[in-house]
Amino acid sequence: MRAPRRARPLVQAVGQARALWRGDEPEAAAPTWWLRQLWWQVAAAIAVVAYTISLLTVHRPADGYNSLWDGWVCTLGGFIPIVPCLLRSATSPRLRSAWFAIGAGILFYDLGNVVYLFHDQNLHPIPFPAPSDAFYIAEYPLFALGIVLLTQRNFGAVRVSARLDGAVTGLSVGALAGFLWFDPILKVSGRPLQALVGLSYPLMDLVLIVLIVSSFAPRRYRPSLPMGILLAGFVAFVCGDIVYLNQVNAGTYVQGTILDCTWPIGLWLMGLAAWPNERRRAREDDEISSVPQGITIVPIVFGGVSILVLVLSLLHHTSPVISSLALASLVLVLVRMAMTLHEVLEVERRNFEAARIDELTGLPNRRAFFEQGEALLEEADDGAHVGIVIIDLDGFKEINDSLGHASGDELLRVVASRLHEAFRHRGTTSRIGGDEFACTLEIANADDLDALGEAMSSILTAPVSVDGMSVRVGASIGMAVHPDHGATLTEVLRCADVAMYKAKMSHTVVRRYRPEDDVHTRDQLRIIDDLRTTDWERDLVLHFQPTLDLRTGRIAGVEALVRWRHERFGLLYPDDFIPLAERTGLIHALTSSVLDRALRTLAALRSEGHDLTMSVNVSRFDLLDDLLPAHVADLLGQAAVPARCLTLEITETAVGEDPEHAAKCIRELRALGALVSMDDFGVGYSSMSRLLALDLDELKIDKSFVLALRSDERARAMIAATVEFARALHMSVVAEGIETPDTLAAVQRLGVDVGQGYLISVPLTEAQLRAFLAARPAMPCLATAQTDGRPKITAS
Ligand code: C2E
Ligand code: CA
Ligand code: CA
């Protein structure tokens, strides 16, 4: 039992360290890979540390060379960091060539060391430049390649202009250093090649450093762990190279001093950088990188430095190498500026395009549709026809809600690509809204458009496979033609919209615009306008339909049914304006007026001695309104009627929208003492479990079942089942739509508690209701009151 106890913290620590080191790359997660890396990293670290300690403690002979430390440990130890680079290269396909190049760079450095060692042992003095320098110099292009590939792969495309900054910096620093520091040596030694080679090391280190640092720019200079370590490696190199060059030129360089550990440390850091994964940060980084920063400080500062050096070197007649470096740097600054200008223009072009493309489907968006459509209509020759087609998917919301947004998106993509593929030779398809598409098509005549509409319809109704399920979407397609239906795009589009709307209402899939459709739409727009401005106190009319207690034969209550006395259209019925009020958010004000009027009427009737209840319909949008219960409480208080006399009728769709919210609202209403009834029960799609979760007082069986009682056995079964269900949950049952004495008798037999329908009474005005109540007709009775003539404006 001892081992696991002690091992656990260790295992955890290793696990944590691993998690820290490991990025998101799945291939890097393999434990064997990680352990192998660990092993080689430890070996490299031991070699470096040991060698550094040896420089401080182990005595070197006069020639500075200790065959154990400088030979075996330093030179052979220098090969170890190659292994982590190759391991990384093998396990990360994305970074394969990058780390391979860096590994190869280290290899060339090591080969240079071996050659140098050979000379050190055999030639005195060692020539400078020596063949080993060829290897040392060869490592730089490889390092540069590795860095470019790394930054490219890991950071997204870092701009070429930012990379050029590396070269600009290298050249101008080279020119400056040459002017201040190396020019005297150059002149004294008279060996330009030697000075040049010596100078090239720190210069190339600097170029690599700037290359790395400039790749941080898109990330606001927050380096990632690997790139930070890599940077440290080259910083170690540049420090070593500068001091070395100084010492060589001064003739003071001896082997075996602490200076010699800078290169092994640099190599070790490069190998170490291959270990941790590049953690890919949030997308924002990519976005940042796509925005050029303009001319940054780097080329401005170093361009200035180069000009200064150029002027001074011309004045002081220094070596042409220095002025050439300064000149080259200036040329690069100019190139860099030109590139940035190009990049800015390019980004602007891409932004322009992105603002006109719908991201989800890749189709032109609403904005592009208008721009391109207007241009097309303007260009259209006399006699040419352009068809505008609007396609609105039916039932998309249901698919989105039931299968999830990912499936909804997938469906939109499929529809988009089908439309695009089928009609791209005739015109353009755009996505102009959530599930709304528009096509602009060049057509020969209006009949041609009809044929295209039919083709669209069949394309859209073919099943779509989303999430492993085959679904079928319906669509409503509205079409209009330029110039027949309008001179401008807006006009033609409006006509196509009207036709689409008409198609949806009449359940015909495709419809070409007809002028008579417009009258209807215009009326609707007028109604919407008037809904906003109407004075409900004046124009609201309530009709009351009595309900009959089937056990006692008493009139138990009334249901308030709203009408609107419209100055132009006469008395409007709920179907003509409730959906419009719901769609425009004006329903709350309307419900509030209905409740207020209904409760005041109830108070008056009760004070006259009629013991009645009042049922009021509330819209599904009211049920989502948090303020409804408080508002109902207020109105009950103002009217001074007991809450138990008010029944609020809700529908299943209201519950379906947001079940939890609806349940909360119902609880609060019932807490006031009011009753809640489920209207139109049986026609919705609510599951039993969902209904059971609600606290209801009443189920109001939809009239379609009651009307079908005589002809359809299933209607009888449904009513019987509802009664049984309601009994078990202590709810009462109302049957509406009772038109004949037979039906009344049938629902009575089935155990329904309350009846409502034309047989008992049609909806009555307040005055008619008083007369009706005063007559106290024997039940069942046929109501004699007038039925209201209904100026029907077809439902929307
Ligand atoms: P509902 O709540 O199902 O109301 C019953 C509807 O059936 C009424 O139509 C009524 O006139 C009709 N009806 C009554 N008895 C019979 C019958 O024996 N046979 C037949 N065939 N029909 C009968 P109305 O007044 O046109 O109301 C239609 C719908 O409008 C109502 O259906 C209700 O959902 C909605 N509504 C009415 N008033 C309001 C209101 O104040 N607010 C809200 N949000 N909706 C209301
Ligand atoms: Ca109702
Ligand atoms: Ca109903």
Side-chain angles (χ1 to χ4, degrees):
M1 288 304 288
R2 139 186 87 94
R5 267 185 137 204
R6 292 187 60 84
R8 200 166 294 141
L10 188 69
V11 169
Q12 274 172 359
V14 169
Q16 278 164 3
R18 239 157 72 175
L20 192 74
W21 246 189
R22 232 168 35 198
D24 320 300
E25 248 170 276
E27 65 271 21
T32 47
W33 172 86
W34 197 82
L35 282 176
R36 248 184 249 156
Q37 272 281 11
L38 179 68
W39 200 95
W40 285 101
Q41 295 293 353
V42 169
I46 289 174
V48 165
V49 171
Y51 180 64
T52 307
I53 292 173
S54 85
L55 289 172
L56 295 170
T57 56
V58 178
H59 175 73
R60 298 294 201 272
D63 65 356
Y65 184 77
N66 176 308
S67 62
L68 169 67
W69 292 106
D70 301 309
W72 289 104
V73 177
C74 178
T75 308
L76 292 187
F79 282 91
I80 302 178
I82 298 174
V83 184
C85 296
L86 294 182
L87 275 174
R88 161 61 76 199
S89 170
T91 48
S92 301
R94 263 183 341 117
L95 305 175
R96 177 152 299 150
S97 356
W99 283 106
F100 190 81
I102 292 175
I106 300 177
L107 177 70
F108 269 83
Y109 175 89
D110 290 328
L111 292 178
N113 263 359
V114 172
V115 174
Y116 182 85
L117 218 73
F118 175 77
H119 285 160
D120 190 72
Q121 296 303 291
N122 299 295
L123 301 175
H124 292 282
I126 308 169
F128 182 65
S132 58
D133 287 299
F135 284 98
Y136 289 142
I137 287 175
E139 91 206 19
Y140 284 99
L142 289 164
F143 283 145
L145 178 70
I147 291 169
V148 167
L149 289 174
L150 260 188
T151 47
Q152 192 112 322
R153 292 280 153 74
N154 267 347
F155 293 79
V158 170
R159 304 195 158 268
V160 182
S161 60
R163 295 194 186 292
L164 262 187
D165 289 351
V168 169
T169 313
L171 288 171
S172 65
V173 168
L176 185 67
F179 179 77
L180 296 177
W181 194 4
F182 301 115
D183 193 48
I185 304 166
L186 208 73
K187 278 187 179 150
V188 172
S189 71
R191 293 183 62 190
L193 184 64
Q194 184 191 32
L196 206 63
V197 169
L199 187 56
S200 69
Y201 292 123
L203 274 188
M204 287 188 293
D205 293 332
L206 270 177
V207 169
L208 295 182
I209 287 172
V210 176
L211 212 54
I212 295 178
V213 172
S214 60
S215 80
F216 299 157
R219 293 184 152 205
R220 300 182 198 280
Y221 294 96
R222 286 171 301 168
S224 64
L225 190 57
M227 296 308 284
I229 299 174
L230 201 61
L231 180 65
F234 288 112
V235 168
F237 257 54
V238 78
C239 294
D241 283 336
I242 287 176
V243 177
Y244 172 74
L245 183 61
N246 234 358
Q247 291 187 354
V248 165
N249 281 329
T252 54
Y253 174 71
V254 273
Q255 210 170 3
T257 66
I258 191 71
L259 172 66
D260 286 353
C261 75
T262 50
W263 296 285
I265 287 178
L267 291 184
W268 167 66
L269 287 171
M270 288 173 209
L272 188 64
W275 195 10
N277 256 345
E278 185 69 62
R279 273 174 199 280
R280 262 166 287 158
R281 299 218 189 110
R283 282 283 133 77
E284 63 178 278
D285 292 334
D286 297 346
E287 273 159 31
I288 295 166
S289 75
S290 70
V291 182
Q293 317 274 301
I295 292 285
T296 57
I297 195 85
V298 174
I300 293 175
V301 168
F302 290 102
V305 168
S306 300
I307 291 176
L308 190 73
V309 171
L310 191 62
V311 171
L312 289 176
S313 71
L314 288 177
L315 289 177
H316 289 86
H317 306 288
T318 54
S319 148
V321 174
I322 290 163
S323 42
S324 308
L325 284 175
L327 212 56
S329 157
L330 282 176
V331 169
L332 282 189
V333 169
L334 289 180
V335 173
R336 158 73 153 101
M337 281 178 167
M339 274 186 154
T340 305
L341 187 69
H342 174 75
E343 281 166 5
V344 169
L345 291 177
E346 175 68 10
V347 166
E348 239 164 55
R349 188 187 61 78
R350 267 194 273 142
N351 285 348
F352 180 87
E353 276 173 11
R356 280 154 186 81
I357 293 269
D358 170 51
E359 232 178 279
L360 181 71
T361 60
L363 292 181
N365 62 13
R366 193 178 178 84
R367 185 172 174 178
F369 167 76
F370 275 99
E371 287 176 0
Q372 292 169 5
E374 268 159 15
L376 186 72
L377 293 199
E378 253 169 45
E379 284 163 17
D381 308 329
D382 285 346
H385 287 81
V386 177
I388 303 285
V389 183
I390 291 189
I391 301 145
D392 189 273
L393 302 186
D394 296 336
F396 175 72
K397 189 178 177 303
E398 283 71 22
I399 291 176
N400 217 19
D401 287 352
S402 52
L403 298 183
H405 287 273
S407 301
D409 287 354
E410 178 58 22
L411 179 70
L412 288 176
R413 272 193 289 264
V414 172
V415 167
S417 89
R418 280 186 188 174
L419 287 173
H420 174 71
E421 284 304 319
F423 299 104
R424 62 178 179 183
H425 58 288
R426 301 290 299 263
T428 323
T429 306
S430 316
R431 179 173 173 229
I432 58 169
D435 59 351
E436 212 174 21
F437 296 87
C439 297
T440 321
L441 304 163
E442 286 175 43
I443 51 167
N445 51 45
D447 294 335
D448 188 20
L449 187 61
D450 285 347
L452 286 172
E454 290 302 332
M456 274 181 199
S457 154
S458 59
I459 282 174
L460 289 172
T461 43
V464 179
S465 163
V466 283
D467 210 11
M469 260 168 73
S470 177
V471 296
R472 237 174 243 275
V473 278
S476 303
I477 301 175
M479 308 183 295
V481 181
H482 167 84
D484 305 10
H485 298 140
T488 65
L489 180 67
T490 323
E491 280 169 25
V492 185
L493 187 69
R494 199 194 59 81
C495 293
D497 224 357
V498 167
M500 187 275 286
Y501 191 73
K502 205 61 191 166
K504 199 165 269 264
M505 288 305 124
S506 57
H507 300 284
T508 45
V509 179
V510 188
R511 188 171 176 102
R512 201 204 312 165
Y513 170 77
R514 293 177 209 158
E516 61 265 30
D517 295 347
D518 232 7
V519 181
H520 167 71
T521 315
R522 240 182 280 133
D523 287 348
Q524 295 228 317
L525 293 176
R526 166 98 195 245
I527 290 176
I528 290 175
D529 259 358
D530 294 345
L531 271 172
R532 288 182 217 281
T533 51
T534 194
D535 175 5
W536 287 123
E537 192 57 43
R538 187 192 62 204
D539 297 332
L540 182 93
V541 176
L542 283 190
H543 283 182
F544 302 95
Q545 188 174 31
T547 56
L548 178 69
D549 187 324
L550 297 178
R551 293 167 196 281
T552 62
R554 254 184 75 241
I555 293 298
V558 291
E559 176 179 2
L561 295 163
V562 69
R563 281 93 179 89
W564 177 13
R565 196 182 297 119
H566 193 277
E567 55 176 1
R568 170 141 174 229
F569 301 122
L571 199 64
L572 289 178
Y573 277 69
D575 291 351
D576 296 329
F577 61 91
I578 296 280
L580 297 177
E582 287 179 336
R583 215 185 299 156
T584 49
L586 300 166
I587 189 70
H588 301 312
L590 180 63
T591 304
S592 163
S593 301
V594 171
L595 267 169
D596 181 38
R597 179 78 63 84
L599 287 173
R600 278 191 280 138
T601 309
L602 180 65
L605 290 169
R606 289 180 69 84
S607 70
E608 291 160 24
H610 300 295
D611 182 17
L612 293 174
T613 63
M614 176 71 72
S615 294
V616 176
N617 297 284
V618 295
S619 152
R620 60 205 174 102
F621 294 97
D622 296 320
L623 209 61
L624 296 177
D625 178 11
D626 284 322
L627 302 176
L628 179 72
H631 192 54
V632 169
D634 257 7
L635 294 174
L636 280 168
Q638 281 169 27
V641 288
R644 66 177 162 76
C645 297
L646 174 68
T647 301
L648 295 159
E649 296 192 2
I650 62 166
T651 55
E652 285 175 59
T653 43
V655 179
E657 207 109 309
D658 184 350
E660 273 167 41
H661 203 273
K664 175 171 167 271
C665 192
I666 292 169
R667 270 199 305 278
E668 288 176 15
L669 289 170
R670 293 189 76 232
L672 297 175
L675 309 186
V676 177
S677 170
M678 178 63 75
D679 201 359
D680 303 341
F681 182 73
V683 293
Y685 298 100
S686 300
S687 65
M688 269 303 173
S689 60
R690 193 182 266 175
L691 286 177
L692 282 173
L694 301 172
D695 276 331
L696 297 169
D697 300 283
E698 182 181 284
L699 295 181
K700 197 163 182 178
I701 298 171
D702 189 67
K703 50 182 169 294
S704 58
F705 296 99
V706 180
L707 289 167
L709 247 183
R710 229 180 336 166
S711 56
D712 191 345
E713 195 45 44
R714 280 173 303 180
R716 179 182 303 275
M718 147 71 192
I719 296 174
T722 305
V723 168
E724 202 165 318
F725 176 61
R727 288 279 164 279
L729 296 172
H730 309 289
M731 292 185 277
S732 60
V733 179
V734 183
E736 62 179 2
I738 300 174
E739 294 184 350
T740 63
D742 291 352
T743 318
L744 182 70
V747 295
Q748 214 165 4
R749 265 201 308 280
L750 286 167
V752 171
D753 305 291
V754 177
Q756 180 179 353
Y758 293 162
L759 176 72
I760 298 152
S761 168
V762 296
L764 305 168
T765 62
E766 195 177 328
Q768 289 167 342
L769 177 64
R770 282 208 169 78
F772 175 84
L773 292 170
R776 287 188 189 277
M779 289 298 153
C781 79
L782 201 67
T784 48
Q786 43 78 236
T787 47
D788 350 66
R790 305 172 71 146
K792 247 331 191 205
I793 288 175
T794 330
S796 46

